[in-house]
Amino acid sequence: MEFQNSKAIYLQLADHLCLAILNGTYPEDERIPSVRDFAASVEVNANTAVRAYEWLQQQDIIYTRRGLGYFVAPGAKERIRQMRRTAFLSEELPSLFQSMRALGIEIGEIEQQWNAFQKKTT
């Protein structure tokens, strides 16, 4: 896994696990890798992985079963989608709008691109 300097590593690890949950790699109420296994697989210190797991627990995306490990929480997919949607709308979209304005791109052009993209993916 390659890390970005602009975001804390534990949050990037949490994003990585969230994406795996969204993609169905880890279904709801199913076990995810142990902290040590996950840390080894992404080549980070176990303490960093612990921080990612703690953050995911605070967001109600994963939970622990004493003696069994960590599991994907019921409703985790929808919580992740909502969190990412909120972040996109409040953080990424304003930057996109600024770029559009600077480049003289109208919303109609974006809509055309969106429609073409939708046709390709359906």
Side-chain angles (χ1 to χ4, degrees), residues 62-121:
I62 64 172
Y63 65 96
T64 58
R65 288 187 187 163
R66 191 176 195 112
L68 297 176
Y70 291 92
F71 292 77
V72 177
K77 266 187 168 182
E78 190 51 41
R79 272 190 290 288
I80 293 167
R81 279 191 189 109
Q82 190 56 45
M83 286 171 42
R84 287 186 169 205
R85 178 182 168 83
T86 300
F88 176 80
L89 292 173
S90 66
E91 298 166 16
E92 295 179 44
L93 198 56
S95 176
L96 176 67
F97 287 156
Q98 287 176 351
S99 294
M100 287 172 60
R101 183 185 308 158
L103 298 171
I105 298 172
E106 297 294 326
I107 197 72
E109 293 176 69
I110 299 299
E111 188 174 9
Q112 288 174 348
Q113 293 291 321
W114 173 251
N115 290 335
F117 173 78
Q118 289 289 80
K119 287 180 184 175
K120 287 181 189 176
T121 60

Side-chain angles (χ1 to χ4, degrees), residues 13-31:
L13 296 176
D15 284 345
H16 180 75
L17 282 169
C18 285
L19 185 58
I21 292 167
L22 286 175
N23 290 336
T25 303
Y26 305 118
E28 293 180 3
D29 280 321
E30 294 293 322
R31 191 172 184 275

Side-chain angles (χ1 to χ4, degrees), residues 24-77:
T25 303
Y26 305 118
E28 293 180 3
D29 280 321
E30 294 293 322
R31 191 172 184 275
I32 63 172
S34 70
V35 170
R36 285 186 182 165
D37 288 345
F38 181 64
S41 74
V42 293
E43 300 176 342
V44 298
N45 183 295
N47 291 331
T48 305
V50 166
R51 286 186 69 193
Y53 278 47
E54 287 173 347
W55 187 87
L56 290 167
Q57 276 189 290
Q58 291 170 355
Q59 306 307 311
D60 293 324
I61 294 169
I62 64 172
Y63 65 96
T64 58
R65 288 187 187 163
R66 191 176 195 112
L68 297 176
Y70 291 92
F71 292 77
V72 177
K77 266 187 168 182

Side-chain angles (χ1 to χ4, degrees), residues 2-13:
E2 292 186 34
F3 298 103
Q4 304 166 357
N5 290 331
S6 60
K7 190 174 189 179
I9 291 175
Y10 80 95
L11 291 175
Q12 293 178 62
L13 296 176

